[in-house]
Amino acid sequence: MELSDLTIFRTVVREGGITRAADKLGRVQSNVTKRIQQLEDRLETALFDRRGRRLVLTSSGKTLLDYADRLLALAAEAEEALHGARLQGVLRLGAMESTAAVRLPAPLASFSAAYPDVVLEMRTGNPTQMARALLAGEIDAAFVAEPVATARFDSLVAFVEEAVIVTAQDHSFFEKDEDVPRTVLVFENGCPHRKRLEDWYAARQQMPERTVELGSYHAMLGCVLAGMGAALVPRSVISTFPEKQRLRITTLPPQQGRIQTLMIWPKGAVSPKVKALAQVVCGDGQVPA
């Protein structure tokens, strides 16, 4: 089995079919089809279930995809190692919006100063989106709030956050246990902070009457100031908000308010660039072997 076979196989999976994979690889469709068939013959198992024009991974295909990701990552790591100690190329990262805006600028600046030949790329999203992007090979590492699927990823603790509930200073919420905001301001489903706020309401046997989804923390805090409702945010985000003195902060019990942000990457596939970033962000004591 050759690395080129695995590259073709993984591209077919990522692109969702032969035609788009052929375009991506710069090959004719018949060549891609033949290489997949030859790979299946060599392994003596079907990798795809053909459903009309759709290709759906079989259980064997899913197993091979996991190995393909790791083997191709190791091959890339070997190439980097042979090019010498000087890291170069692109490092593709993912992070939650709050982490990218508040926590990462300083360590990423330090990383860029130490490794000027590495080009950093960043995309933001919730932990579910970041996990999917990692497994699809679209990014190399991500910063997400726990919990993390330990069976699929290796991880290190990057930051520890305190989550707090914020409301407008001139609103009399929380005068009594049952006096909670009827509207919550949150990110889309998949955001761990949203889940934590929903759990906080559920523990009081209450549910918000209205849920407003927003795309950034500063938009969320602006709506809080307008008296629209409550939001749960990392305390570090509040420090960057110009009108933070007009916010009312309600702390959570320690076990609910403490959130770890983890740096994650596909299990067993740490590259030299990811390892170098882990050293900068997480410290020498946590760097993966």
Side-chain angles (χ1 to χ4, degrees):
M1 186 164 47
E2 299 177 2
L3 290 177
S4 58
D5 293 330
L6 296 179
T7 299
I8 292 172
F9 165 70
R10 190 171 70 171
T11 305
V12 171
V13 175
R14 287 182 183 175
E15 298 299 318
I18 297 292
T19 302
R20 290 168 62 180
D23 291 340
K24 184 79 171 180
L25 295 165
R27 295 171 177 261
V28 296
Q29 294 181 36
S30 58
N31 176 263
V32 174
T33 299
K34 183 177 180 181
R35 293 291 293 271
I36 292 295
Q37 290 174 342
Q38 290 175 338
L39 182 59
E40 289 179 318
D41 291 342
R42 186 177 301 115
L43 297 174
E44 298 182 350
T45 186
L47 300 174
F48 295 97
D49 182 9
R50 276 91 172 160
R51 301 177 185 176
R53 293 185 177 182
R54 291 182 59 223
L55 295 179
V56 179
L57 278 175
T58 63
S59 59
S60 296
K62 292 177 182 177
T63 299
L64 180 62
L65 181 60
D66 183 52
Y67 281 103
D69 286 336
R70 285 189 278 169
L71 288 169
L72 291 171
L74 284 171
E77 180 181 343
E79 287 187 13
E80 288 184 348
L82 291 173
H83 283 140
R86 189 166 186 174
L87 297 182
Q88 55 189 332
V90 178
L91 178 57
R92 303 163 302 167
L93 303 174
M96 298 185 304
E97 194 261 353
S98 60
T99 306
V102 179
R103 291 293 193 178
L104 286 178
L108 291 186
S110 297
F111 179 87
S112 293
Y115 304 101
D117 293 330
V118 177
V119 177
L120 293 173
E121 293 182 354
M122 174 66 72
R123 61 191 287 186
T124 60
N126 64 51
T128 300
Q129 294 168 332
M130 295 297 95
R132 288 174 181 164
L134 271 176
L135 294 175
E138 297 169 1
I139 56 178
D140 302 305
F143 295 86
V144 300
E146 57 184 347
V148 168
T150 55
R152 306 302 300 272
F153 303 107
D154 287 325
S155 65
L156 294 172
V157 176
F159 312 106
V160 178
E161 301 280 4
E162 180 193 3
V164 296
I165 297 176
V166 290
T167 53
Q169 186 68 259
D170 55 356
H171 277 243
S172 58
F173 298 129
F174 309 118
E175 294 292 337
K176 298 176 292 185
D177 287 344
E178 66 273 14
D179 187 15
V180 297
R182 296 292 89 200
T183 298
V184 293
L185 310 168
V186 296
F187 284 112
E188 63 188 351
N189 277 320
C191 172
H193 303 325
R194 174 176 180 164
K195 175 67 165 56
R196 198 165 293 241
L197 183 58
E198 291 170 344
D199 289 346
W200 185 88
Y201 271 81
R204 284 153 181 75
Q205 298 184 330
Q206 300 197 44
M207 288 296 291
E209 294 175 0
R210 186 165 177 248
T211 298
V212 178
E213 293 187 354
L214 296 168
S216 76
Y217 278 115
H218 276 216
M220 198 176 289
L221 293 175
C223 290
V224 166
L225 283 183
M228 289 178 59
L232 187 145
V233 304
R235 189 183 285 271
S236 60
V237 171
I238 298 174
S239 66
T240 68
F241 190 61
E243 299 184 76
K244 54 183 176 290
Q245 70 279 1
R246 294 176 55 198
L247 297 172
R248 180 176 182 175
I249 298 174
T250 300
T251 58
L252 301 177
Q255 68 274 18
Q256 294 179 339
R258 185 177 185 272
I259 300 176
Q260 290 190 142
T261 298
L262 306 179
M263 178 179 173
I264 66 173
W265 59 90
K267 202 168 191 69
V270 60
S271 71
K273 289 194 289 283
V274 170
K275 188 181 296 186
L277 180 62
Q279 185 173 16
V280 171
V281 175
C282 307
D284 292 338
Q286 291 196 75
V287 176

